[in-house]
Each structure stands twice: as structure tokens, then as C-alpha cells.
Amino acid sequence: LVVAALVPLRWWRRLAFPLFLGTVLLLVAVQVVGLRRGGSERWLSLGPVVLQPSEFAKPATVLFLATLVSRKEDSMHRFRDFLWPVAISVGLVGGLVVVQPDLGTTLLIAAGGFAVLVASAAPLAYVLGGGVIGAAAAVAAAMISPYRWERVISFLDVSADPLDSGYQAMQSLVALGTGGLFGVGLGASRARWSFLPNAHTDFIFSIVGEETGLAGSLAVVLLFVMITAAGTLVALRCRDRFGRLVAIGITTWLAAQALVNIGGVTGVLPITGVPLPFVSYGGSALLTELIGVGILVGIARHTPKAETP
């Protein structure tokens, strides 16, 4: 985070293409020599280090798309100039991630890209049209995969199959309910030691709810609201086109990821298997989230303070 915050914004603009190209190569390498865990092929083993390239695709795509859009902002009204930056960035990376398969991360990459386009000078009709096409593609990807579609069906009625497809969601709600108002105490969770799978990764929020109760859960939600508000304020105050687009893209990615994770844990949204930013266990995810916040801090540090009305 500190290193990313100290990197000048103009350097990020210059590094956008090499970082994006490197990410694409890593995603291709995953399909060739990737490690398979839990039915998905998402990791690369580089000696003692195991990387998840799809996590690095989130900031890399935002930086690359923001670079393309900021350079072409005056001509974004032409459909051709709107289409090719989106296809090269979000389309290419999204396609490589969704075949791993990892639909949840693909949706987060698309959310960051969508935010960049909304904040740009692109016609709203083009942006909304692209959003509708992307949503339709996501639904189609879920329907053609029995595993993904089973998650959607179980979300609609968790109690229909509580011992199989709905088991994880049911146990998550049990853990949250056990916490009550102020929780059972830090370290006193029973769910993480027994009946809740992935308690340290995708379902860490259930453990937070069990150990700290409704009060602790709302505090975590409030912290994410504060991060979202701060990132949005940084984007609004930034006078540089590229910096503004990067700030809103990173903020949307982090906010969407928190929303999707907490929504899946609480049964409000289908379970997608994305970690809770800054809280879930994970090396690549935590590293990229800290880099993202570092970039936001760097943009804020180099943005002139707003004049007092």
C-alpha cells in the first residue's frame, strides 16, 4: 500500500499496458500449467509462491481501460472508439477468467470497467447497452454450468436442500444468528471449527457475525461504506482524467466485492465465492486490494484540496 501510494500517477499511466499484458499472459498460463483446487483452475505455482492471476486482473484492467478511455475521451461518441477499448480490456480478461471457471471475479472486473465507462465521456446509451449485454452473458454463463445454476436455484430456496446445495448458506445463517446482538466473544466461534466450510475465506463475515454479533457486523459494513465514500470523494476531486477514472474504477471494484460477499453470506445474493476485502484469508487478493487502496491514496495526495464554498 505504501509503495503504491508513493508511485506518481503518471507512472501508473505508463505501467498500465505492461501490467495488463503481464496479467493476460499469467491468465493464459493458468490454462496451461495452472493448479486445480476445488474444481477450479485459478492458481500458478512459482516455486514457493502461489499466485492467483485473476486477482491481479482487477486493478490491471481498471488501469488499462482508464488509460485507453482517457486518451480517446474526445472521440468516445463514435461506437468504434467506444467498443474496442472495452473489448480489449474487459472482454479479453473477462473471457480468460470465466473459463477458469470464476464467474464471481469476472463480474467484479466488469463492475470496475463499467464504472470507468460511466465516469468517462462515453454516451450513456453505449454504456447501458454494454451493461445489458454483459448481464445477459453472465446469466447465460450461469445457466450453461450445472454447478453455477445450482447455486442460483439454491439461493432462491435455501431450505429446499439444506444438506447439499443449500448447506453452506444455511450454516452461514446459523452462525450469524448465533451471534445475536453482541456475539459470543472473540475466538469463541464454533462454526469455524466444525460445521461452516470456508470459514476463513469466503465466509469470514459469518464468523465476524457470530463472534461480534450484529453490532460488529454493522461496524464492518460501515467501514466499507466509509471506504466507498472516501474513494468516490477522491474521484470527484481529481482534476486529471486518468486519475479520476482509476479512482472510481478501484472504488467500485472494492465496494462491489464487499457487497457481493456480504450479500452471499447473508442470503441476500447468490454465493459467488469471492473473498471479503481486507478480511478474508488470501495472499493475492489482499495484495491487490492494498495496491488498489495505495493508488487511491496516491491520487488523493496529488489532488489539490477543494476550495471552501
Side-chain angles (χ1 to χ4, degrees), residues 2 8 10 21 65 103 121 134 141 165 178-179 191 199 219 243 245 258 274 280 285 296:
V2 173
R10 65 180 183 276
L21 179 60
L65 180 60
L103 182 59
S165 60
T178 304
L245 297 178
V274 298
S280 292
L296 286 177

Side-chain angles (χ1 to χ4, degrees), residues 41-230:
E41 204 167 25
R42 306 176 186 175
W43 296 269
L44 281 177
S45 178
L46 304 176
V49 179
V50 177
L51 296 177
Q52 187 173 354
S54 59
E55 292 294 338
F56 294 94
K58 299 171 186 177
T61 303
V62 168
L63 288 169
F64 185 61
L65 180 60
T67 301
L68 296 179
V69 171
S70 61
R71 291 176 178 174
K72 294 284 186 179
E73 203 161 20
D74 294 334
S75 61
M76 290 291 285
H77 61 279
R78 293 195 290 266
F79 184 72
R80 180 187 62 185
D81 291 337
F82 167 82
L83 181 61
W84 75 264
V86 179
I88 291 177
S89 57
V90 179
L92 176 60
V93 171
L96 290 172
V97 173
V98 78
V99 297
Q100 290 184 355
D102 191 353
L103 182 59
T105 300
T106 304
L107 294 176
L108 296 178
I109 293 171
F114 183 79
V116 170
L117 294 174
V118 169
S120 71
L124 188 59
Y126 291 172
V127 179
L128 294 179
V132 171
I133 294 174
V139 173
M143 293 183 68
I144 62 177
S145 172
Y147 173 71
R148 294 174 186 151
W149 192 244
E150 184 178 285
R151 282 189 169 185
V152 175
I153 297 300
S154 64
F155 157 73
L156 297 176
D157 188 4
V158 176
S159 60
D161 192 4
L163 297 180
D164 190 8
S165 60
Y167 177 81
Q168 199 163 19
M170 287 289 291
Q171 301 311 315
S172 173
L173 296 177
V174 170
L176 287 169
T178 304
L181 187 58
F182 297 107
V184 298
L186 292 176
S189 168
R190 289 173 293 178
R192 63 174 175 174
W193 300 119
S194 54
F195 56 81
L196 180 60
N198 301 320
H200 63 302
T201 53
D202 301 345
F203 281 80
I204 190 64
F205 189 75
S206 299
I207 308 305
V208 172
E210 183 184 11
E211 295 190 353
T212 65
L214 179 63
S217 301
L218 291 179
V220 172
V221 173
L222 179 61
L223 290 173
F224 281 113
V225 172
M226 292 173 63
I227 290 176
T228 304

Side-chain angles (χ1 to χ4, degrees), residues 233-234 236-240 298-307:
L233 188 60
V234 168
L236 292 174
R237 288 182 173 181
C238 185
R239 298 178 182 178
D240 181 84
I299 295 174
R301 289 175 66 245
H302 294 90
T303 298
K305 294 183 179 179
E307 298 179 358

